[in-house]
Amino acid sequence: MADRILGALADFHDMDGEASTLADLVLEYLGPTAGDHDVEAISRDYLDVVNARLRETGLSVDENGDVLADGFVDDDPRELVDDALFRANLQAISERHRR
């Protein structure tokens, strides 16, 4: 079954500031230290971790920040996405990609 686009990540997660994608969220998190990190690698790893947490729910997030559903999702997609983003350890991921 083809994935259905449920909406932009920013619409699902209460992102502070100007973030609308995972890459934006990473840049906001890193702030002035962004130049000391491989932002693309952090964004890819963060996406992988978030999608691993969402895999069993039927949801996923693509590179553009769209939340996708594979068929019907039993639980509230907003809560599932928030939980996956919250539980992904962005600090640990960022440290692995410090230059």
Side-chain angles (χ1 to χ4, degrees):
M1 173 185 284
D3 286 342
R4 295 179 295 143
I5 296 179
L6 295 178
L9 181 64
D11 295 337
F12 274 78
H13 180 64
D14 186 20
M15 293 181 171
D16 294 331
E18 301 296 318
S20 62
T21 66
L22 285 176
D24 292 340
L25 191 62
V26 168
L27 285 171
E28 269 194 17
Y29 174 78
L30 294 173
T33 68
D36 299 335
H37 295 82
D38 183 345
V39 174
E40 288 183 30
I42 294 169
S43 298
R44 281 191 308 271
D45 284 0
Y46 192 38
L47 180 63
D48 290 344
V49 170
V50 167
N51 280 328
R53 293 196 172 276
L54 290 173
R55 190 167 290 124
E56 293 181 18
T57 69
L59 294 174
S60 63
V61 177
D62 71 9
E63 306 82 32
N64 299 318
D66 288 322
V67 178
L68 307 169
D70 186 20
F72 183 76
V73 178
D74 291 329
D75 297 313
D76 181 359
R78 294 180 195 287
E79 288 181 17
L80 296 170
V81 169
D82 277 345
D83 184 62
L85 289 168
F86 176 75
R87 293 182 184 277
N89 189 339
L90 188 50
Q91 180 177 358
I93 295 168
S94 298
E95 287 302 316
R96 286 196 306 264
H97 296 289
R98 183 179 289 274
R99 293 182 179 156

